Amino acid sequence: MSTNLSRLNACTWFSDNAKSLSFQLLRNLQIQQGIQLASLLNVDPILYNDEAVYVWVQRQLNDGLIVDDYALSTLETAFIDVVSIDHDQVA
Protein backbone atom coordinates (compact mmCIF):
# COMPACT_ATOMS: atom_id res chain seq x y z
CA MET A 1 0.00 0.00 0.00
CA SER A 2 1.00 3.56 -0.52
CA THR A 3 3.25 5.25 1.98
CA ASN A 4 0.78 8.14 1.77
CA LEU A 5 -1.85 5.88 3.29
CA SER A 6 -0.24 6.06 6.72
CA ARG A 7 -0.54 9.84 6.50
CA LEU A 8 -4.14 9.60 5.28
CA ASN A 9 -4.99 6.93 7.83
CA ALA A 10 -3.68 9.09 10.65
CA CYS A 11 -5.72 12.03 9.42
CA THR A 12 -8.56 12.93 11.72
CA TRP A 13 -10.77 13.43 8.67
CA PHE A 14 -11.33 9.67 8.58
CA SER A 15 -13.53 8.25 11.29
CA ASP A 16 -12.52 5.05 13.05
CA ASN A 17 -15.38 3.31 11.24
CA ALA A 18 -14.09 4.52 7.87
CA LYS A 19 -10.59 3.31 8.65
CA SER A 20 -11.77 -0.10 9.76
CA LEU A 21 -14.26 -0.62 6.93
CA SER A 22 -11.80 0.62 4.31
CA PHE A 23 -9.11 -1.77 5.48
CA GLN A 24 -11.58 -4.67 5.42
CA LEU A 25 -12.88 -3.68 1.97
CA LEU A 26 -9.36 -3.46 0.55
CA ARG A 27 -8.53 -6.87 2.00
CA ASN A 28 -11.78 -8.66 1.12
CA LEU A 29 -11.87 -7.44 -2.48
CA GLN A 30 -8.10 -7.78 -2.86
CA ILE A 31 -7.82 -4.30 -4.29
CA GLN A 32 -4.40 -3.85 -5.83
CA GLN A 33 -2.32 -0.70 -5.82
CA GLY A 34 -2.69 1.58 -8.78
CA ILE A 35 -4.41 4.79 -9.77
CA GLN A 36 -7.44 3.72 -11.79
CA LEU A 37 -10.02 3.57 -8.97
CA ALA A 38 -10.02 7.27 -8.08
CA SER A 39 -11.86 8.31 -11.22
CA LEU A 40 -14.29 5.39 -10.96
CA LEU A 41 -15.09 6.28 -7.34
CA ASN A 42 -15.40 9.96 -8.23
CA VAL A 43 -12.67 11.11 -5.86
CA ASP A 44 -9.57 13.20 -6.47
CA PRO A 45 -7.75 11.55 -9.39
CA ILE A 46 -4.32 12.01 -7.79
CA LEU A 47 -5.15 9.39 -5.14
CA TYR A 48 -3.84 5.86 -5.23
CA ASN A 49 -6.40 3.05 -5.12
CA ASP A 50 -6.14 2.49 -1.38
CA GLU A 51 -6.41 6.21 -0.65
CA ALA A 52 -9.40 6.52 -2.99
CA VAL A 53 -11.16 3.72 -1.13
CA TYR A 54 -10.66 5.48 2.22
CA VAL A 55 -12.15 8.70 0.85
CA TRP A 56 -15.02 6.84 -0.84
CA VAL A 57 -15.89 4.88 2.31
CA GLN A 58 -15.84 8.04 4.44
CA ARG A 59 -18.21 9.66 1.93
CA GLN A 60 -20.54 6.66 2.15
CA LEU A 61 -20.60 7.05 5.92
CA ASN A 62 -21.15 10.80 5.64
CA ASP A 63 -24.05 10.10 3.28
CA GLY A 64 -25.79 7.95 5.87
CA LEU A 65 -24.39 4.43 5.64
CA ILE A 66 -25.37 2.75 8.88
CA VAL A 67 -22.53 0.95 10.60
CA ASP A 68 -23.97 -2.39 11.57
CA ASP A 69 -23.29 -6.07 10.87
CA TYR A 70 -24.13 -5.49 7.20
CA ALA A 71 -22.08 -2.34 6.56
CA LEU A 72 -19.14 -4.14 4.99
CA SER A 73 -21.41 -6.22 2.76
CA THR A 74 -23.27 -3.08 1.73
CA LEU A 75 -20.00 -1.35 0.86
CA GLU A 76 -18.73 -4.34 -1.10
CA THR A 77 -21.92 -4.44 -3.15
CA ALA A 78 -21.89 -0.68 -3.77
CA PHE A 79 -18.21 -0.75 -4.71
CA ILE A 80 -18.70 -3.58 -7.19
CA ASP A 81 -21.73 -1.82 -8.66
CA VAL A 82 -19.83 1.45 -9.14
CA VAL A 83 -16.82 -0.22 -10.70
CA SER A 84 -18.95 -2.50 -12.88
CA ILE A 85 -21.17 0.30 -14.17
CA ASP A 86 -18.22 2.50 -15.09
CA HIS A 87 -16.34 -0.43 -16.64
CA ASP A 88 -19.39 -1.39 -18.73
CA GLN A 89 -19.74 2.16 -20.03
CA VAL A 90 -16.10 2.20 -21.15
CA ALA A 91 -16.34 -1.13 -22.98
Side-chain angles (χ1 to χ4, degrees):
M1 291 197 183
S2 168
T3 56
N4 292 334
L5 183 58
S6 60
R7 186 192 63 195
L8 274 176
N9 209 1
C11 179
T12 57
W13 189 79
F14 295 110
S15 68
D16 289 339
N17 286 329
K19 293 174 192 176
S20 175
L21 288 167
S22 296
F23 177 78
Q24 293 174 65
L25 186 65
L26 288 164
R27 186 185 64 214
N28 288 2
L29 296 181
Q30 299 179 3
I31 297 170
Q32 301 297 311
Q33 195 51 274
I35 57 170
Q36 67 277 15
L37 286 181
S39 61
L40 294 176
L41 298 176
N42 200 27
V43 300
D44 192 331
I46 67 165
L47 297 175
Y48 289 105
N49 288 350
D50 54 345
E51 298 167 335
V53 168
Y54 273 75
V55 172
W56 182 78
V57 168
Q58 184 63 61
R59 286 182 179 172
Q60 300 305 302
L61 292 168
N62 292 351
D63 288 344
L65 176 70
I66 297 170
V67 179
D68 59 12
D69 292 342
Y70 305 103
L72 182 58
S73 177
T74 301
L75 283 171
E76 288 174 353
T77 301
F79 179 88
I80 291 168
D81 286 347
V82 167
V83 173
S84 295
I85 288 170
D86 283 334
H87 183 346
D88 290 344
Q89 290 175 356
V90 172

